[in-house]
Amino acid sequence: GDSSRLKGFARVSVVTDGSPAAMGGLRSGDTVIEFGSVSSANFQSLQDIASLLQHSRERPLRVVVRRANEPLGSGALAILSVTPKTWEGRGLLGCVLLPNSST
């Protein structure tokens, strides 16, 4: 079915203010459905995301998330554009992703 595709493979836990993740609209609590070329279908580990970020510096990535507490009703999808880049904080994103272990 289609539901597995929408289940998401990771969760956004912490987003640092002013980070590339925050600029792109990622929010704490978002469930990540697609992150650039990575999706639930091909996701192996967060290392996939790390290498994708390295290869996509300064290039916008299409990120699809499911919002936890949307006023429009829980489960609304948001399509974001996130550009990984060097900033004053750590990493290229400035957010913490946790694998979705609800498999």
Side-chain angles (χ1 to χ4, degrees):
D2 205 35
S3 54
S4 62
R5 196 179 70 75
L6 291 180
K7 201 172 67 185
F9 57 83
R11 224 175 54 242
V12 180
S13 76
V14 181
V15 179
T16 309
D17 284 344
S19 67
M23 302 297 208
L26 280 173
R27 291 188 209 156
S28 175
D30 284 350
T31 299
V32 183
I33 313 281
E34 260 178 60
F35 203 109
S37 55
V38 180
S39 69
S40 306
N42 61 14
F43 175 76
Q44 304 287 317
S45 74
L46 289 175
Q47 191 53 48
D48 299 351
I49 302 285
S51 49
L52 173 71
L53 294 174
Q54 292 294 337
H55 292 294
S56 311
R57 267 170 207 264
E58 312 287 342
R59 285 210 302 261
L61 292 170
R62 180 176 182 266
V63 179
V64 181
V65 298
R66 196 168 66 232
R67 287 266 133 98
N69 333 315
E70 271 302 286
L72 310 165
S74 188
L77 290 185
I79 298 177
L80 311 172
S81 177
V82 178
T83 305
K85 52 162 153 311
T86 315
W87 61 296
E88 63 260 29
R90 292 182 50 207
L92 293 170
L93 260 195
C95 75
V96 178
L97 292 177
L98 301 173
N100 235 356
S101 49
S102 55
T103 41

